[in-house]
Amino acid sequence: MATAIPPPVANKIPHEMELFGDVRIDDYYWLRDDSRSDPEILAYLADENGYADHVMSGTKMLQVQIFNEMRGRVKESDITAPQREGAYYYYKRTLQGKEYAQHCRCPVLNVNDPPSVDDKFPFGDDVVPDEHLILDENVKARDYSFYSIGNFKVSPNNKLVAYTEDVTGNEIYTAHIINAETRDPIEKPLASVTSCIEWAGNDALLYMTLDETLRPYKVWLHKLGTDQSEDICLYEEKDDMFSLDLKASESKKFLFVGSESKCTRFTFYFDVSNPEGGLKILTPRLYGIDTSVSHRGNHFFIIRRSSECWNSEVLACPLDDITATTVLIPHKESVKIQEIQLFSNHLVVLERENGLPKIVSYSLPEVDKPLGNLPGGRAVDFIDPSYSIELMESQFNSSILRFSYSSLKTPFSVYDYDMNSSITVLKKIETVRHLRLHSCFNHV
């Protein structure tokens, strides 16, 4: 056992802080250093770390043993379940002994065939014919003590990639746009942005910036080939109770900007085909009303939560008359609607009932037909008594839903589910050595 030594004690230096007429004394405010460069603070932290190492010195062998056991259960050389986008499969690869991932793609063999749950990826974990490395995080991370990729977004024509990176750990990102084939940058990076970035067609991007409290509060339109100083601010959220978020519709025809507080959320839409039109209000700011939206055909689809519909309801409205809403799935007291995902012919709802998540798919009428209350949907059955599921990015113009599944006895798994035939096929399961696996479906 290590000889006892006294722990380091931080100096108390009173610092007066006043807010809303209230005065508070913080004796340790001096330990704040946003630049991480104050020598006195760094010295104190070094003393703290040294003390921790001394106290834990008797457990060094145990730490190594536990680490090696945990690492021994991990398959280090692996790939994620490939995601088909256009003429390519995109996936991430990890390598033995490397800390970061590689972002890769390879061609789809039968590109004219519609997606199917029976699609076989033309490779194993190690050998991939015609594999193309787009971005190697291991190379990018060499010059930094911290490195993290936020978002990695491929342009609709598959020619460009926009990705955001954080090299300090403060969650302030830089956005890079590169040629997917040559890996060369096509312009200067976009500085001091959030992790979220979305393509607005093949020639423009939407991104967000932060205020001094790191709150996403401005959304910008960037046209490729122009300097960041020329970017157009589409919206500024001046109320510091609200933060912005950004997402693309599954159809890729609209981008949505949400502004959210604790109990209120409203949404703007951006028509990718008409970037000069800017942001337009889709759901207004009403206290206590929370809305999330998406798009399919001639309609916007809206999840709406209020004090009367606390578990949410699903509505739809025509693109040309957003006030004419129709209830597709009414509110239920015992079922919480958490998320929706749209396809060209289907609506998928992630629900929660009796404490467990549930996936339910609904068939939608043809685009030119009117929408109304949807008849009973079809649920995916699971046999584990407790589990977690998440909807994953899927192909809009298909009937194949991709989702992840895990439970106390099932590692993270990726499945494709055919909403027409109700067939579910395992596409990837995280390898955990020395673990006996089982099926989590009644019909698989």
Side-chain angles (χ1 to χ4, degrees):
M1 180 178 293
T3 304
I5 63 172
V9 178
N11 294 326
K12 289 186 176 183
I13 304 176
H15 177 81
E16 185 177 290
M17 305 175 69
E18 183 175 352
L19 186 64
F20 306 124
D22 179 66
V23 177
R24 178 170 62 90
I25 303 299
D26 186 348
D27 291 334
Y28 301 104
Y29 186 86
W30 69 273
L31 285 169
R32 174 170 180 164
D33 177 25
D34 293 341
S35 67
R36 275 72 166 172
S37 60
D38 186 298
E40 185 178 3
I41 295 176
L42 294 177
Y44 174 74
L45 294 177
D47 290 344
E48 287 275 14
N49 290 335
Y51 175 75
D53 290 339
H54 176 78
V55 171
M56 299 297 293
S57 60
T59 67
K60 291 295 184 184
M61 292 299 296
L62 178 61
Q63 292 178 43
V64 172
Q65 178 184 345
I66 293 174
F67 174 79
N68 289 337
E69 179 180 346
M70 295 174 65
R71 187 166 187 171
R73 293 182 180 272
V74 176
K75 184 179 181 182
E76 294 188 51
S77 294
D78 204 358
I79 63 170
T80 58
Q83 174 65 38
R84 180 172 171 177
E85 294 186 30
Y88 297 94
Y89 287 119
Y90 290 86
Y91 52 94
K92 289 196 291 186
R93 176 183 291 281
T94 53
L95 304 174
Q96 184 78 28
K98 299 291 186 180
E99 295 293 329
Y100 299 94
Q102 295 177 330
H103 299 257
C104 307
R105 76 180 183 186
C106 72
V108 175
L109 294 181
N110 301 311
V111 68
N112 294 322
D113 291 347
S116 166
V117 291
D118 297 319
D119 285 348
K120 299 294 190 295
F121 305 128
F123 49 81
D125 291 347
D126 300 319
V127 180
V128 179
D130 300 318
E131 179 177 83
H132 175 65
L133 173 61
I134 301 173
L135 179 69
D136 190 340
E137 295 182 23
N138 297 286
V139 174
K140 295 281 291 182
R142 285 175 183 169
D143 299 328
Y144 306 104
S145 59
F146 176 91
Y147 189 82
S148 177
I149 291 288
N151 270 342
F152 182 92
K153 297 287 185 175
V154 181
S155 63
N157 61 10
N158 290 279
K159 293 183 178 181
L160 303 175
V161 167
Y163 68 93
T164 53
E165 67 175 12
D166 175 9
V167 298
T168 63
N170 63 1
E171 298 185 358
I172 300 175
Y173 290 78
T174 300
H176 299 265
I177 302 101
I178 62 174
N179 183 299
E181 197 62 35
T182 66
R183 298 183 285 272
D184 295 328
I186 67 165
E187 61 179 31
K188 292 192 299 183
L190 304 175
S192 300
V193 304
T194 70
S195 64
C196 190
I197 192 167
E198 293 288 354
W199 285 97
N202 294 306
D203 303 311
L205 294 157
L206 261 63
Y207 66 92
M208 297 180 296
T209 54
L210 306 160
D211 66 8
E212 63 277 3
T213 66
L214 303 187
R215 174 181 66 99
Y217 81 120
K218 285 184 179 180
V219 58
W220 300 82
L221 171 64
H222 173 73
K223 296 181 180 179
L224 300 189
T226 65
D227 191 80
Q228 187 176 3
S229 62
E230 301 174 37
D231 291 351
I232 300 170
C233 181
L234 300 176
Y235 179 70
E236 177 182 358
E237 180 52 79
K238 297 180 179 180
D239 187 339
D240 61 9
M241 297 293 289
F242 286 77
S243 297
L244 300 180
D245 58 67
L246 170 66
K247 78 161 195 171
S249 67
E250 293 88 345
S251 67
K252 307 302 181 186
K253 293 184 178 181
F254 291 90
L255 301 179
F256 299 109
V257 174
S259 183
E260 183 174 20
S261 67
K262 182 68 175 178
C263 61
T264 302
R265 176 184 168 85
F266 62 102
T267 310
F268 301 87
Y269 69 93
F270 180 89
D271 187 345
V272 171
S273 67
N274 180 29
E276 305 304 324
L279 289 181
K280 297 180 179 179
I281 294 178
L282 176 53
T283 56
R285 184 195 302 230
L286 297 172
Y287 180 80
I289 305 296
D290 183 307
T291 56
S292 300
V293 299
S294 194
H295 162 261
R296 176 255 190 186
N298 301 323
H299 290 82
F300 292 120
F301 287 65
I302 305 167
I303 300 178
R304 183 179 185 273
R305 180 178 57 81
S306 65
S307 57
E308 295 80 17
C309 300
W310 60 88
N311 278 333
S312 300
E313 58 184 347
V314 178
L315 315 171
C317 66
L319 301 184
D320 57 3
D321 187 3
I322 60 175
T323 62
T325 57
T326 300
V327 176
L328 303 183
I329 303 175
H331 171 260
K332 300 176 184 177
E333 293 189 5
S334 60
V335 179
K336 178 176 176 58
I337 296 174
Q338 294 184 301
E339 183 182 350
I340 63 172
Q341 189 172 130
L342 280 162
F343 296 78
S344 54
N345 295 308
H346 294 87
L347 167 66
V348 172
V349 181
L350 179 62
E351 301 177 348
R352 184 170 292 273
E353 185 175 14
N354 295 324
L356 287 175
K358 183 169 66 172
I359 295 174
V360 182
S361 65
Y362 296 84
S363 295
L364 294 174
E366 295 180 10
V367 169
D368 58 350
K369 302 294 185 183
L371 285 170
N373 193 284
L374 297 176
R378 181 182 294 176
V380 182
D381 292 325
F382 305 102
I383 61 176
D384 283 335
S386 178
Y387 53 85
S388 296
I389 51 177
E390 289 187 10
L391 304 182
M392 301 181 70
E393 184 176 354
S394 306
Q395 296 181 77
F396 177 74
N397 293 307
S398 78
S399 63
I400 311 302
L401 168 70
R402 174 161 288 188
F403 65 90
S404 67
Y405 179 96
S406 63
S407 72
L408 293 175
K409 56 183 180 180
T410 306
F412 180 86
S413 310
V414 176
Y415 287 88
D416 281 352
Y417 171 71
D418 190 318
M419 292 176 282
N420 291 328
S421 66
S422 297
I423 295 175
T424 307
V425 177
L426 176 67
K427 292 300 177 179
K428 180 72 179 179
I429 187 166
E430 185 176 288
T431 300
V432 180
R433 294 189 173 104
H434 315 301
L435 180 67
R436 182 180 178 182
L437 303 179
H438 75 292
S439 171
C440 58
F441 295 96
N442 286 316
H443 53 277
V444 174

